[in-house]
């Protein structure tokens, strides 16, 4: 089992992009990582469909005794996650600009979603 795998979302996390994001996440899940990280430092927005998918993915991973984390959300995305209190049910790491020396975990793979 791979410890951590990241999916970098660089487009809006919306219903229009959800099929592409879902496909990338399914590829990641195929390698059975313990932790799936959604890297949102370039994601300009998230809508209700994106939020619903994040919640569903969180529940799915928890059932399998795995974990979902959100890293470096843009300010707009962070505000949505905080407003909906999702930061209370899953780890949300702050924006990359506020971290010193934050590097991807060893062994992490990155799948870009465009």
């Amino acid at each position: 089992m791979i410890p951590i795998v990241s999916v970098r979302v660089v487009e809006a996390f919306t219903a229009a992009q959800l099929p592409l994001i879902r496909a990338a996440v399914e590829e990641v899940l195929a390698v059975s990582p313990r932790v799936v990280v959604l890297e949102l430092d370039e994601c300009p927005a998230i809508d209700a469909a994106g939020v619903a998918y994040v919640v569903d993915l969180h529940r799915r991973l928890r059932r399998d005794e795995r974990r979902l984390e959100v890293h470096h959300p843009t300010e707009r995305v962070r505000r949505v996650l905080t407003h909906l209190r999702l930061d209370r049910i899953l780890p949300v790491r702050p924006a990359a600009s506020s971290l010193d020396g934050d590097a991807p975990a060893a062994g992490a793979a990155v799948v870009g979603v465009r």
Side-chain angles (χ1 to χ4, degrees):
M1 182 180 291
I2 295 176
I4 301 172
V5 178
S6 296
V7 177
R8 171 158 282 135
V9 180
V10 298
E11 295 288 340
F13 205 137
T14 62
Q17 296 297 324
L18 204 49
L20 184 58
I21 294 168
R22 185 177 282 124
V25 169
E26 290 303 319
E27 282 184 42
V28 163
L29 294 177
V31 298
S32 299
R34 285 186 323 199
V35 179
V36 174
V37 174
L38 293 177
E39 292 279 354
L40 302 180
D41 57 328
E42 296 181 52
C43 178
I46 189 167
D47 70 2
V51 169
Y53 180 71
V54 169
V55 170
D56 182 60
L57 182 59
H58 166 70
R59 288 179 180 154
R60 180 178 172 191
L61 289 170
R62 280 191 57 139
R63 276 193 304 267
D64 294 338
E65 297 181 6
R66 297 187 284 172
R67 187 172 76 235
L68 175 65
E69 295 183 6
V70 175
H71 287 193
H72 317 128
T74 58
E75 182 61 24
R76 186 173 179 187
V77 172
R78 187 199 56 76
R79 281 194 313 263
V80 171
L81 298 176
T82 302
H83 178 74
L84 296 173
R85 299 183 178 186
L86 290 180
D87 59 333
R88 294 184 181 188
I89 65 166
L90 59 100
V92 177
R93 294 187 72 190
S97 61
S98 67
L99 299 177
D100 292 331
D102 186 42
V110 177
V111 177
V113 177
R114 291 204 180 269

